[in-house]
Amino acid sequence: MSTPQGKVMMNPNDVVMLLIDHQSGLFNLVKDMSVSQLRNNVIALAKVAAMLKIPVITTASVPEGPNGPVIPEIQQFAPHVKYVPRQGQINAWDVPMFVKAVEETKRKTVVMTGTLTSVCLAFPAICAVQAGYKVYAVVDASGNWSKMATDLTIARIVQAGVIPIDTFAVIGELQQTWNRPDALDYANLFGEHIIPNYRLLMESHKKAQEASGQK
Amino acid sequence: MSTPQGKVMMNPNDVVMLLIDHQSGLFNLVKDMSVSQLRNNVIALAKVAAMLKIPVITTASVPEGPNGPVIPEIQQFAPHVKYVPRQGQINAWDVPMFVKAVEETKRKTVVMTGTLTSVCLAFPAICAVQAGYKVYAVVDASGNWSKMATDLTIARIVQAGVIPIDTFAVIGELQQTWNRPDALDYANLFGEHIIPNYRLLMESHKKAQEASGQK
Amino acid sequence: MSTPQGKVMMNPNDVVMLLIDHQSGLFNLVKDMSVSQLRNNVIALAKVAAMLKIPVITTASVPEGPNGPVIPEIQQFAPHVKYVPRQGQINAWDVPMFVKAVEETKRKTVVMTGTLTSVCLAFPAICAVQAGYKVYAVVDASGNWSKMATDLTIARIVQAGVIPIDTFAVIGELQQTWNRPDALDYANLFGEHIIPNYRLLMESHKKAQEASGQK
Amino acid sequence: MSTPQGKVMMNPNDVVMLLIDHQSGLFNLVKDMSVSQLRNNVIALAKVAAMLKIPVITTASVPEGPNGPVIPEIQQFAPHVKYVPRQGQINAWDVPMFVKAVEETKRKTVVMTGTLTSVCLAFPAICAVQAGYKVYAVVDASGNWSKMATDLTIARIVQAGVIPIDTFAVIGELQQTWNRPDALDYANLFGEHIIPNYRLLMESHKKAQEASGQK
Amino acid sequence: MSTPQGKVMMNPNDVVMLLIDHQSGLFNLVKDMSVSQLRNNVIALAKVAAMLKIPVITTASVPEGPNGPVIPEIQQFAPHVKYVPRQGQINAWDVPMFVKAVEETKRKTVVMTGTLTSVCLAFPAICAVQAGYKVYAVVDASGNWSKMATDLTIARIVQAGVIPIDTFAVIGELQQTWNRPDALDYANLFGEHIIPNYRLLMESHKKAQEASGQK
Amino acid sequence: MSTPQGKVMMNPNDVVMLLIDHQSGLFNLVKDMSVSQLRNNVIALAKVAAMLKIPVITTASVPEGPNGPVIPEIQQFAPHVKYVPRQGQINAWDVPMFVKAVEETKRKTVVMTGTLTSVCLAFPAICAVQAGYKVYAVVDASGNWSKMATDLTIARIVQAGVIPIDTFAVIGELQQTWNRPDALDYANLFGEHIIPNYRLLMESHKKAQEASGQK
Amino acid sequence: MSTPQGKVMMNPNDVVMLLIDHQSGLFNLVKDMSVSQLRNNVIALAKVAAMLKIPVITTASVPEGPNGPVIPEIQQFAPHVKYVPRQGQINAWDVPMFVKAVEETKRKTVVMTGTLTSVCLAFPAICAVQAGYKVYAVVDASGNWSKMATDLTIARIVQAGVIPIDTFAVIGELQQTWNRPDALDYANLFGEHIIPNYRLLMESHKKAQEASGQK
Amino acid sequence: MSTPQGKVMMNPNDVVMLLIDHQSGLFNLVKDMSVSQLRNNVIALAKVAAMLKIPVITTASVPEGPNGPVIPEIQQFAPHVKYVPRQGQINAWDVPMFVKAVEETKRKTVVMTGTLTSVCLAFPAICAVQAGYKVYAVVDASGNWSKMATDLTIARIVQAGVIPIDTFAVIGELQQTWNRPDALDYANLFGEHIIPNYRLLMESHKKAQEASGQK
């Protein structure tokens, strides 16, 4: 559990994003957070990947069965996503094509999500650390079957060297600064998907300035 | 607290919808439910009003001050909305133009919301009952400053003869049947705004039928 | 909200049980209680209806769509159940064949459940009171989309004269006494479906008596 | 539980405020809300009484014993308060001088608090209704020993005809309008004592307008 | 649900206490409150009954089976208790000897508890109201199998005219005043059994006075 | 707390399962999760052990006393289980025959549960790590006397090198792939015992495909 | 955070128990657990120390001031306790006489509690680890001012090498086996103070065996 | 994550306090604790810094935009505070002037807060550890957008070597002893801002001593 060497914060140019098993059926099993927040957090990750040209790889577990289809927003908001099918493997890291897709990005920092957290996120996250990657597990963009299972999974992956993180922190760490041409896109990302109160602040702020100007 | 006479369910043609003080600043005070759910519930009410041509009246409390502007979705999704300004009155029912606007609809069933519940919903709801209306208070499309305050308000308004209700029930009561040409609009309303798990069911169902056809 | 006249407790021979919209899809929307407990509570009601030869009527809302099929245990454990199809009506009491089926039982005490509570239980419960029935709403055998919606619904139906009740109370009220030949069936019903700790008590009690005999 | 006749909202000129047993020792027993919020809610009531010249009567239960002294802010912020000592009576309404003090105000609307809610608020509230007063019980300015006890007390007092209310609603009902010379005092009352997020709104609004002016 | 006529507070000389089915097995089913608090609340009721010579009647449901024995503290602290056996009846009010025992006390105010609340308290409470008694249901000295079941039961019994109450309120209402020779016994009752923080206040108060004297 | 060397995921052929003190009396003490979920999680572990021929060892703490008998499902669903009696030792690892039974399996990966978690799971788990085993502690198939105790125990065992895990993750890790002849058995295992919503998905999926075929 | 070498479980003969600042005033600040449970957990530790002749050292922070006196049960149930006064130091480990008292026991395993956890437990616990002791922090026999503060403290002390533990685990680890002459004392300790449901099991078990014998 | 060498407790003379992004807008996003407690905890840190002449550095993220102004109490209670503006950087440690300001204090122990915790606290805290500082993160004086995000952040920063702590512990660790001339200032700090129950104790204690003196 030693601190990673070199720069301790993410370098957007070294990041690959793995969005695993975000399927409509599996989302119906989620009990540790609201499905609405989960879905929005995944959308926000897809959007920021598109904004920063971060490679995105998805996969799904038996999408034609009860697990259901991948939610369409990933393709919609990150059209550059690469989909890797599986032949039944539960751990995406057991799929050679999946690991190969990661390797081909030449990136060594993995931002990973997976529904359900205990399995679809935890298994490949632990394996990716073992394979030498710096791995961030975005637990609140994953979704799990019980709160107790999530608490156990956080403890397990931290013990294994995975870095636990939330959606807002991932995007803030990738954004780095508000002093950039697309800053408003980030503000909208936070306001529309992650922190609805932020949108309220933006609306109130704009109105206050308008009201001030009218005086 | 006698049971209302006549038909006990709402008649959509007798309903007027009053959406009171849904302002960005006030939404930042809400602690009894998620702001995201609240905003979506209000949007859903605006949409169903438009679908059923139910008159909608809004008002706001000092929108140029800290309370902030009315959220734009009401105007966006219910463009037929009538806005009644106030001169500082806290209780919208104290505003003659507001009461007159209600009266002019010739409708006697009021579906009412108000941010914050304890004040902006409770006060006019109690007054409207006193004025002879059948009043439904949509508590989960209102938002309050504490859970305890909401519990107290529900008890108070029920005692005063107001009918407490949730957003899903209001819309279901107005919709009446799935056997109508615009049934899909209702399904989308539930799935996109009120019950995100319902959207998951729709996605899974469609995929299951496609997968079945492909076999 | 006057106290019902005559005997205040249920008479099993006057009861008809209405189990409304217990469908696999709708169960996936339930957020106010555990789905496992909900399913077991419904099973327990079906079983007790069979034991006491109480008529059972079910219905479903568009079961071939996202709402999904009726859970099979109702038919399995109460084979005498009568199923009434609907043509899209949301409120089962809007279906003449459904009301007729109730009337044909000649019973005036209705024990009712419905998924989701706010709509599928609340609407027909209120209408049945209006129609002169004594109506018990078994809220914890219904399932709703939010806890706040359930709190609002309980307040609403009580205001309308419906009697709120839990599954354990319904069965205890129907059972009346442990001094009956089938008492063990009731104990098993509680232990297997409603109160898992009761099964533990039965197991421990038996073991304690065996251990005592071995001394 | 009939709706009170005449005007259904409070008339500030008809209100007398009874703040019962707000003592430092008793506050240490409070488990249904935060002591910080409770203390601030009581202060807010004292302040609004001073602003509107509403008579205030306090009393204490054995303040020299473990129950402790009355919190000093009542005297501090409502210096016109009248203190009525007791000779051990638990129910303040059992104290003739207390009832007499209420009668001498000639006011018929009672806004009442009491620590602990189950006893010190509930007992005199029920008696005051019986004596013909219109009684508002401010439950979140009272404090109780358990959440379950508060739920039971709300149900009990509503059944007895007491009107349950929260601190924010009381003050809003007394304030009536923002169109008054002392409006800022009310805004500060809400921001400093009841809803801390409101103060944040005021600060942000002011800054936004200043920033707008600087552009 | 009309307000009871005459004096609205309990008269200790008119009270009979019914403690129903407080059995070790059944206590193991309690999930709506802590078993420790429940047991202490029952003990406190037994003690206050002894202090005020209030008649106490107990009964048990099949105590030789899994439901287990009556907790011994009732007999220990209220040795004047009368035990009425049952022949399997679930509702104690169905047992003629039980009703007769109540009638023989000539008292018309019933303070009642029952484990589990939904059944063993609710059934006889509703029947006793029907039989003309003023009935207080001490919900936090009863214990139930789920929080939702307790919420439903409170709504049901209030609807039926039963007065809901908590243990602290019952004892405060019976005690009436601190100006009595046995006041310390009441203080100890609260401190040892109901509100552990009250005992801390007593200890701190005594120490503070001793420390003051030593100065 | 170094990451285990070699393959980081479980090898089913190296696993031995230790199910400790799952007794009816002890289950009555469980307060950190629902007893129903606990019992089902234990059953699921027994079933998967049988499916994968994983050796299972059980033991019990004074089963003829208040702790009660071992729940019968372990023997029922894993008939190959080996039972090791104890002579009063609290820590199963203090029993030489128990340790010997583990050693005789020649397996080095231990999946362990124990009721109550703080003691019956934590003590042998820590000892087994010390003895060189890779130890997985299935906390949600154990059951503890308080939530705080569970939080403390997770922190303690992680500090000692035990891997915390939930029931769903254990089975997913053992199953490895859906591409196996007995895949349906795994789906049923999840749906019937661990995640009731998964069963709903299966039912809805089947119905959707049937409905599609009928079109 | 390396695993301690040698035997990983406590040796009762090497344990010294430090019960820090269990004062009536400070107990009134506790918000992360029930005061009743806290007080009983401390009593249980005092009793087990007496049973196993484990040295006990207490101390208090300004007991003549608002912090209040040490609860009397420590002296009552562990009369061999040694009290070390302080001259205002917040961290007991800053008091040379306190450290000396620990050293004089010649024991190297410290079982420590402290009210409030964040300060009175955490500070000396971290220092004792630094001084070479093996330190167990009994968090649920300490009490803290907020749940968040407790979560933070557990994380902090684990990071510093302190072993977190709950009261039940401490006593189970010291007891080692039920096969000892004073086993019943341990059962009573659990049933009377720590796990009230255990007492219920004992009562039910005894009754079941008696009932069996009577058949 | 090795234990820091040398003295394990803070040395007030080596501490620099960094209060980051405590802005009115951002406070409106806080959902993991009450805003009232958060604001008071920050005030308490500012006050103790002034009392101990600890250098304080603040900064803000775009304070003229929706994030809002820095709360004025920091300047008010710690007038020696140094404010470092940013040019949009999200991570304060990315601002050379900010790092330089820290370095110029010549102090190596950092007590840090930041709104929101996941980003504004976590990022610079991790960087400061990397830069060789001993870093305390005061999580309950920071505020975050969700409870789950806070749980994840605590796990992340502990893994990175940051020491998690609460406000009360920071101040207690800096205060060291009650045996100091300004002890009352510390008592008031706790009572007015952090632990409102402590103020109640002080009031009750004073009253008890006065009452004792009057006897």
Side-chain angles (χ1 to χ4, degrees), chain D residues 8 14-16 23-24 37 44 58 60 70 93 104 120 128 132-133 137 139-141 150 169 183 210 215:
Chain D
V8 290
D14 189 47
V15 170
V16 53
Q23 301 170 248
S24 294
Q37 182 78 64
T58 61
V70 174
W93 211 261
E104 286 173 354
C120 307
Y133 290 88
V139 174
D140 65 352
T150 301
E210 290 170 1
K215 282 198 278 203

Side-chain angles (χ1 to χ4, degrees), chain A residues 15-156:
Chain A
V15 169
V16 53
M17 194 178 284
L18 311 184
L19 304 179
I20 300 172
D21 298 354
H22 289 313
Q23 300 169 248
S24 295
L26 296 176
F27 272 28
N28 260 321
L29 312 182
V30 170
K31 298 285 182 195
D32 67 335
M33 63 181 300
S34 89
V35 165
S36 170
Q37 181 78 64
L38 169 57
R39 193 162 188 151
N40 274 288
N41 287 355
V42 174
I43 291 171
L45 291 178
K47 282 191 172 178
V48 82
M51 285 156 66
L52 289 167
K53 301 193 193 313
I54 290 172
V56 179
I57 304 170
T58 61
T59 178
S61 170
V62 205
E64 65 283 357
N67 294 350
V70 174
I71 59 167
E73 292 94 336
I74 296 179
Q75 172 72 38
Q76 177 182 353
F77 295 114
H80 66 299
V81 64
K82 179 187 175 89
Y83 176 78
V84 179
R86 302 218 293 277
Q87 280 71 45
Q89 299 94 331
I90 288 175
N91 182 348
W93 210 261
D94 281 346
V95 181
M97 277 182 57
F98 187 81
V99 176
K100 184 148 167 281
V102 177
E103 289 170 352
E104 285 174 355
T105 66
K106 309 288 186 199
R107 295 174 172 222
K108 298 299 285 177
T109 303
V110 172
V111 168
M112 198 186 281
T113 63
T115 310
L116 303 177
T117 313
S118 297
V119 168
C120 308
L121 172 62
F123 294 2
I126 293 168
C127 290
V129 167
Q130 194 72 358
Y133 290 88
K134 184 177 175 186
V135 181
Y136 289 82
V138 196
V139 174
D140 65 353
S142 295
N144 212 358
W145 67 292
S146 80
K147 176 69 169 61
M148 188 184 272
T150 302
D151 290 345
L152 290 163
T153 305
I154 294 173
R156 180 187 186 182

Side-chain angles (χ1 to χ4, degrees), chain D residues 24 28 39 73 197 203, chain H residues 24 28 39 197 199 203:
Chain D
S24 294
N28 260 320
R39 193 162 188 150
E73 291 94 337
N197 286 61
E203 293 168 337
Chain H
S24 295
N28 259 322
R39 193 161 188 150
N197 287 60
R199 184 170 169 197
E203 293 169 338

Side-chain angles (χ1 to χ4, degrees), chain F residues 19-115:
Chain F
L19 305 179
I20 299 172
D21 299 354
H22 289 314
Q23 299 170 249
S24 295
L26 296 176
F27 271 28
N28 260 321
L29 312 181
V30 170
K31 297 286 182 195
D32 66 337
M33 63 182 298
S34 89
V35 165
S36 170
Q37 182 79 64
L38 169 56
R39 193 161 187 150
N40 274 288
N41 286 355
V42 174
I43 292 171
L45 291 178
K47 281 191 171 178
V48 81
M51 285 157 65
L52 288 167
K53 302 193 191 314
I54 290 172
V56 180
I57 303 170
T58 62
T59 178
S61 170
V62 204
E64 66 283 358
N67 293 352
V70 174
I71 59 168
E73 291 94 337
I74 296 179
Q75 172 72 38
Q76 178 181 352
F77 295 116
H80 66 300
V81 64
K82 178 185 177 88
Y83 176 78
V84 178
R86 303 220 290 279
Q87 280 72 45
Q89 299 94 332
I90 287 174
N91 181 347
W93 210 261
D94 282 346
V95 181
M97 276 183 57
F98 187 81
V99 177
K100 185 150 168 280
V102 177
E103 289 170 353
E104 284 173 356
T105 66
K106 310 285 187 201
R107 295 174 171 221
K108 298 298 285 177
T109 303
V110 172
V111 169
M112 197 186 282
T113 63
T115 310

Side-chain angles (χ1 to χ4, degrees), chain E residues 125-138:
Chain E
I126 293 169
C127 290
V129 167
Q130 194 71 358
Y133 290 89
K134 184 177 175 187
V135 180
Y136 290 82
V138 196

Side-chain angles (χ1 to χ4, degrees), chain G:
Chain G
M1 208 151 69
S2 61
T3 308
Q5 294 160 327
K7 198 165 180 324
V8 290
M9 305 307 286
M10 287 187 210
N11 173 359
N13 298 322
D14 189 48
V15 170
V16 53
M17 194 178 283
L18 311 183
L19 305 179
I20 299 172
D21 298 354
H22 289 314
Q23 300 169 249
S24 294
L26 296 176
F27 271 28
N28 259 321
L29 312 182
V30 170
K31 296 287 184 195
D32 67 336
M33 62 181 299
S34 89
V35 166
S36 169
Q37 182 78 62
L38 170 56
R39 194 163 187 149
N40 274 288
N41 286 355
V42 174
I43 292 171
L45 291 178
K47 282 192 171 177
V48 81
M51 285 157 65
L52 288 167
K53 301 192 192 314
I54 290 172
V56 179
I57 304 170
T58 61
T59 178
S61 170
V62 204
E64 65 283 358
N67 293 350
V70 174
I71 59 168
E73 292 94 337
I74 296 179
Q75 172 72 37
Q76 177 182 354
F77 294 115
H80 66 300
V81 63
K82 178 187 177 87
Y83 176 78
V84 178
R86 304 220 288 279
Q87 280 72 44
Q89 300 94 332
I90 287 175
N91 182 349
W93 210 261
D94 282 345
V95 181
M97 275 182 57
F98 187 81
V99 176
K100 185 151 167 279
V102 177
E103 289 171 354
E104 285 173 356
T105 67
K106 310 285 187 201
R107 295 174 173 223
K108 298 297 286 177
T109 304
V110 171
V111 169
M112 196 186 282
T113 63
T115 309
L116 302 177
T117 312
S118 296
V119 169
C120 307
L121 172 61
F123 294 0
I126 293 169
C127 290
V129 166
Q130 194 73 355
Y133 291 88
K134 184 176 176 186
V135 180
Y136 290 82
V138 196
V139 174
D140 65 352
S142 295
N144 211 358
W145 67 293
S146 80
K147 174 69 170 59
M148 189 185 271
T150 301
D151 291 345
L152 290 164
T153 305
I154 295 173
R156 180 186 186 183
I157 61 178
V158 167
Q159 188 188 45
V162 178
I163 302 170
I165 199 166
D166 60 277
T167 306
F168 173 58
V170 169
I171 298 180
E173 202 160 332
L174 292 169
Q175 174 187 355
Q176 294 179 332
T177 179
W178 287 104
N179 190 6
R180 52 193 304 157
D182 56 353
L184 189 57
D185 294 345
Y186 284 89
N188 287 334
L189 204 59
F190 293 129
E192 286 172 26
H193 295 299
I194 305 181
I195 306 181
N197 286 60
Y198 198 74
R199 184 170 170 196
L200 300 174
L201 292 184
M202 292 170 70
E203 293 169 338
S204 284
H205 183 260
K206 191 177 162 209
K207 176 75 174 185
Q209 293 207 324
E210 290 170 2
S212 175
Q214 289 164 353
K215 283 197 278 201

Side-chain angles (χ1 to χ4, degrees), chain D:
Chain D
M1 209 153 64
S2 61
T3 308
Q5 296 159 327
K7 197 164 181 322
V8 290
M9 305 306 286
M10 286 188 209
N11 173 359
N13 297 322
D14 189 47
V15 170
V16 53
M17 195 179 283
L18 311 183
L19 305 179
I20 300 172
D21 298 354
H22 289 313
Q23 301 170 248
S24 294
L26 295 176
F27 271 28
N28 260 320
L29 311 182
V30 170
K31 298 286 183 194
D32 68 335
M33 63 181 300
S34 89
V35 165
S36 169
Q37 182 78 64
L38 169 56
R39 193 162 188 150
N40 274 289
N41 287 355
V42 174
I43 292 170
L45 291 178
K47 283 191 171 178
V48 82
M51 285 156 65
L52 288 167
K53 302 194 192 311
I54 290 172
V56 180
I57 304 170
T58 61
T59 178
S61 170
V62 204
E64 65 283 358
N67 293 351
V70 174
I71 59 167
E73 291 94 337
I74 296 179
Q75 171 73 37
Q76 177 182 353
F77 295 115
H80 65 302
V81 64
K82 179 187 177 87
Y83 176 79
V84 178
R86 303 219 290 278
Q87 281 70 45
Q89 299 94 331
I90 288 175
N91 182 348
W93 211 261
D94 282 345
V95 181
M97 277 183 55
F98 187 81
V99 176
K100 184 151 168 280
V102 177
E103 289 170 354
E104 286 173 354
T105 67
K106 310 284 188 201
R107 295 175 171 220
K108 297 300 283 178
T109 303
V110 172
V111 168
M112 196 186 282
T113 63
T115 308
L116 303 177
T117 312
S118 297
V119 169
C120 307
L121 173 61
F123 294 2
I126 293 169
C127 290
V129 167
Q130 194 71 356
Y133 290 88
K134 184 176 175 186
V135 181
Y136 290 82
V138 196
V139 174
D140 65 352
S142 295
N144 211 358
W145 67 291
S146 80
K147 174 70 169 61
M148 189 185 272
T150 301
D151 291 345
L152 290 164
T153 305
I154 295 172
R156 180 186 185 183
I157 62 178
V158 168
Q159 189 188 44
V162 178
I163 302 170
I165 200 167
D166 61 275
T167 305
F168 173 59
V170 169
I171 298 179
E173 203 159 333
L174 293 169
Q175 174 185 355
Q176 293 178 333
T177 178
W178 286 104
N179 190 5
R180 53 193 302 157
D182 56 353
L184 189 58
D185 294 344
Y186 285 89
N188 286 334
L189 204 60
F190 293 130
E192 285 173 26
H193 295 299
I194 305 181
I195 306 183
N197 286 61
Y198 198 74
R199 184 171 169 196
L200 300 173
L201 292 183
M202 291 169 71
E203 293 168 337
S204 284
H205 183 260
K206 190 178 162 211
K207 175 75 175 184
Q209 293 207 324
E210 290 170 1
S212 177
Q214 290 164 352
K215 282 198 278 203

